[in-house]
């Protein structure tokens, strides 16, 4: 569970270990990334960088789990996490949890001694959740267009130098106090895509 996450760990222990074995799931999708990480890597000795990166994860991972999220993977300095929608937690509450997690993580990071800034992209939708790979090496992850959209939204955080951007679908589903910040093209997504920032005073 520590290495692959609690839900993937449960699936693996139940024998869900065949490549291509996927579950259809709906949830909020979190994608975050440390800004200018390559610069940090060039200017920081490897052991010190690892210490700082672990301190960063200690902040963000704990916040995500405290808001009922699930870390699926670390991709270098990036985090892919999901907040599953279920009978126990409805769609509005799940999105509110994910937004609250992003705001809390940003606040904790700003108050920490770390000189890291990051961006968080939030979206909600259906995706496939399960095994990708082969029997020699598999990854338990989430895939699909909605996951790609969350990643593309996060990439705009660096463009606009903002710590959090959300999709219109996400803010409407969660009734999140927010305002439309920009309408922009996202790589691989047709048309202009509205991006929202939270009204922090109302959250």
């Amino acid at each position: 569970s520590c290495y692959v996450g609690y839900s993937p760990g449960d699936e693996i222990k139940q024998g869900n270990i065949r490549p291509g074995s996927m579950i259809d799931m709906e949830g909020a999708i979190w994608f975050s990334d440390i800004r200018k990480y390559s610069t940090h890597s060039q200017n920081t000795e490897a052991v010190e960088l690892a210490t700082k990166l672990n301190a960063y994860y200690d902040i963000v991972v704990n916040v995500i789990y405290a808001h009922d999220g699930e870390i699926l993977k670390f991709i270098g300095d990036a985090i892919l996490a999901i907040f599953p929608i279920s009978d126990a937690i409805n769609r509005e509450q799940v999105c509110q949890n994910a937004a609250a997690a992003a705001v809390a993580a940003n606040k904790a990071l700003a108050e920490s001694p770390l000189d890291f800034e990051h961006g968080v992209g939030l979206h909600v939708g259906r995706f496939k959740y399960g095994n990708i790979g082969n029997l020699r090496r598999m990854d338990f992850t989430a895939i699909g267009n909605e996951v790609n959209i969350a990643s593309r939204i996060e990439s705009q955080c660096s463009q606009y130098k903002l710590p959090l951007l959300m999709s219109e679908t996400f803010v409407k589903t969660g009734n999140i106090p927010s305002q439309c910040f920009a309408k922009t093209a996202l790589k691989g997504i047709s048309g202009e895509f509205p991006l929202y920032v939270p009204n922090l005073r109302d959250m």
Side-chain angles (χ1 to χ4, degrees):
S1 296
C2 176
Y3 277 90
V4 300
Y6 294 109
S7 295
D10 289 341
E11 292 293 332
I12 291 166
K13 286 182 282 187
Q14 291 171 21
N16 185 2
I17 57 173
R18 300 297 300 180
S21 177
M22 307 292 287
I23 301 167
D24 186 58
M25 181 178 288
E26 183 181 20
I29 305 159
W30 162 306
F31 202 96
S32 62
D33 199 13
I34 296 174
R35 196 168 297 148
K36 297 182 179 178
Y37 182 72
S38 296
T39 302
H40 286 287
S41 299
Q42 293 171 14
N43 298 331
T44 309
E45 193 271 331
V47 173
E48 180 186 352
L49 181 63
T51 299
K52 292 172 66 174
L53 191 57
N54 285 329
Y56 166 78
Y57 284 141
D58 195 46
I59 292 171
V60 179
V61 170
N62 286 332
V63 167
I64 289 173
Y65 278 106
H67 290 81
D68 298 321
E70 173 83 46
I71 304 289
L72 289 189
K73 63 167 59 180
F74 301 126
I75 311 166
D77 60 304
I79 298 174
L80 171 61
I82 58 172
F83 295 74
I85 293 168
S86 66
D87 293 337
I89 309 179
N90 64 34
R91 300 172 84 244
E92 181 177 5
Q93 185 61 58
V94 164
C95 291
Q96 289 177 359
N97 287 350
V103 171
N106 291 341
K107 183 174 184 294
L109 189 59
E111 294 173 351
S112 79
L114 294 171
D115 57 345
F116 285 160
E117 295 180 354
H118 78 168
V120 181
L122 294 176
H123 184 48
V124 63
R126 303 201 73 87
F127 50 87
K128 296 293 185 182
Y129 174 69
N131 294 312
I132 296 294
N134 67 23
L135 288 175
R136 298 194 68 175
R137 180 65 174 88
M138 281 190 291
D139 193 10
F140 212 101
T141 190
I143 63 170
N145 186 58
E146 310 307 321
V147 179
N148 292 338
I149 289 175
S151 174
R152 300 290 188 263
I153 292 171
E154 187 283 321
S155 68
Q156 296 298 310
C157 291
S158 178
Q159 173 76 19
Y160 293 112
K161 295 181 173 57
L162 290 170
L164 172 61
L165 286 170
M166 305 170 289
S167 72
E168 186 171 59
T169 303
F170 179 88
V171 300
K172 288 185 175 180
T173 300
N175 194 26
I176 308 296
S178 60
Q179 57 186 336
C180 185
F181 174 80
K183 292 183 179 180
T184 187
L186 297 181
K187 184 178 178 180
I189 310 297
S190 61
E192 287 190 319
F193 200 92
L195 299 174
Y196 286 73
V197 294
N199 295 331
L200 298 178
R201 290 179 297 180
D202 299 326
M203 294 184 67

